Amino acid sequence: MKVFSASYVSSGSGKKAWIAYLLIFVVAFAFIGGGIWNLLAKQAKIDGYVKTQATVVDYKVNVDRDYNDLGYYTESKTYAEKVTYVVNGKEYRATNDVSSSSPKSIGSKIEIAYNPEDPSQCIFVKSTYITTILLFAIGGIASVIGVIMVFLDIKQRCSAH
């Protein structure tokens, strides 16, 4: 069983196919570039901040409700950690921007980095890298798809001669 054939990949004129390939690579490099930018920007911010351990005290629950293709109602929950941390004897609270289905347990520690000039501003250190990894992964997948499509198109053109 063929999932897709080379003739499908390069259907239409060759010029249209190469424009599609170019668009795939532009999207791929945009995601990879976004990952690099995100990493550098967040890392520069983290480097200027003070790292400390925050304690998980609660969760922000995000509920995603949907109907699947068969019409069944589905509900999934993700959790963003709410933490407290102390700077110069004052307690601060923050909520992670990134939620997951398996958050840290209440009472556990999470590394954050806070702005020494305004300790209420903080970054969840590991969450910064999750966003970067996702951007790199999407860009990488798009790159692989683009390379496979170009390879199949070239292979089809060579076998047609």
Side-chain angles (χ1 to χ4, degrees), residues 120-147:
S120 67
Q121 297 175 354
C122 75
I123 298 172
F124 287 74
V125 175
K126 287 194 178 179
S127 296
T128 298
Y129 301 116
I130 290 170
T131 304
T132 300
I133 290 167
L134 287 174
L135 290 169
F136 282 147
I138 293 168
I141 290 168
S143 296
V144 168
I145 289 169
V147 168

Side-chain angles (χ1 to χ4, degrees), residues 32-149:
I32 292 169
I36 292 169
W37 177 82
N38 182 56
L39 178 64
L40 294 175
K42 295 287 184 162
Q43 192 61 51
K45 199 172 194 180
I46 289 170
D47 289 344
Y49 280 20
V50 177
K51 290 183 182 177
T52 190
Q53 295 292 313
T55 304
V56 178
V57 294
D58 199 2
Y59 306 108
K60 175 184 171 191
V61 181
N62 300 306
V63 181
D64 183 30
R65 296 174 177 93
D66 197 13
Y67 286 92
N68 66 18
D69 293 339
L70 300 174
Y72 293 106
Y73 174 77
T74 59
E75 184 176 286
S76 61
K77 293 181 181 180
T78 57
Y79 306 88
E81 296 94 351
K82 291 183 178 185
V83 300
T84 61
Y85 57 100
V86 177
V87 178
N88 298 325
K90 184 174 179 187
E91 184 176 87
Y92 294 91
R93 294 182 171 270
T95 303
N96 199 340
D97 292 333
V98 177
S99 58
S100 74
S101 58
S102 56
K104 296 265 189 183
S105 60
I106 290 179
S108 64
K109 302 291 186 186
I110 292 181
E111 184 177 36
I112 62 154
Y114 66 87
N115 182 346
E117 295 175 14
D118 181 2
S120 67
Q121 297 175 354
C122 75
I123 298 172
F124 287 74
V125 175
K126 287 194 178 179
S127 296
T128 298
Y129 301 116
I130 290 170
T131 304
T132 300
I133 290 167
L134 287 174
L135 290 169
F136 282 147
I138 293 168
I141 290 168
S143 296
V144 168
I145 289 169
V147 168
I148 290 170
M149 290 176 68

Side-chain angles (χ1 to χ4, degrees), residues 23-37 135 138-139 143:
L23 287 174
I24 289 171
F25 285 114
V26 166
V27 167
F29 289 119
F31 275 99
I32 292 169
I36 292 169
W37 177 82
L135 290 169
I138 293 168
S143 296

